[in-house]
Amino acid sequence: MKEEDRSLSVSQMIDYLIKKFSEKKNDKIAKSLASVKDYKIIKKALEEFTQ
């Protein structure tokens, strides 16, 4: 992560993690896809909570 990325909101950080885990290749795909699913659930819960 770059220096300027250190002050992200929680929502932005979740988006960053979803993107990062979505880009995994080879043997880490299944584990990464599970992480993406979990982060999407967290993001949806955060969005519902903050509305």
Side-chain angles (χ1 to χ4, degrees), residues 25-39:
K25 303 289 185 224
N26 301 327
D27 61 336
K28 296 183 180 181
I29 290 175
K31 190 173 185 179
S32 294
L33 290 177
S35 296
V36 168
K37 181 180 176 186
D38 292 341
Y39 283 117

Side-chain angles (χ1 to χ4, degrees), residues 3-18:
E3 182 70 30
E4 63 268 11
D5 292 337
R6 291 195 179 189
S7 59
L8 298 173
S9 70
V10 173
S11 182
Q12 290 171 320
M13 187 62 186
I14 293 171
D15 288 337
Y16 168 80
L17 292 170
I18 289 170

Side-chain angles (χ1 to χ4, degrees), residues 33-49:
L33 290 177
S35 296
V36 168
K37 181 180 176 186
D38 292 341
Y39 283 117
K40 286 182 177 180
I41 291 169
I42 292 169
K43 175 147 180 154
K44 182 177 180 193
L46 176 65
E47 288 171 347
E48 290 173 357
F49 179 77

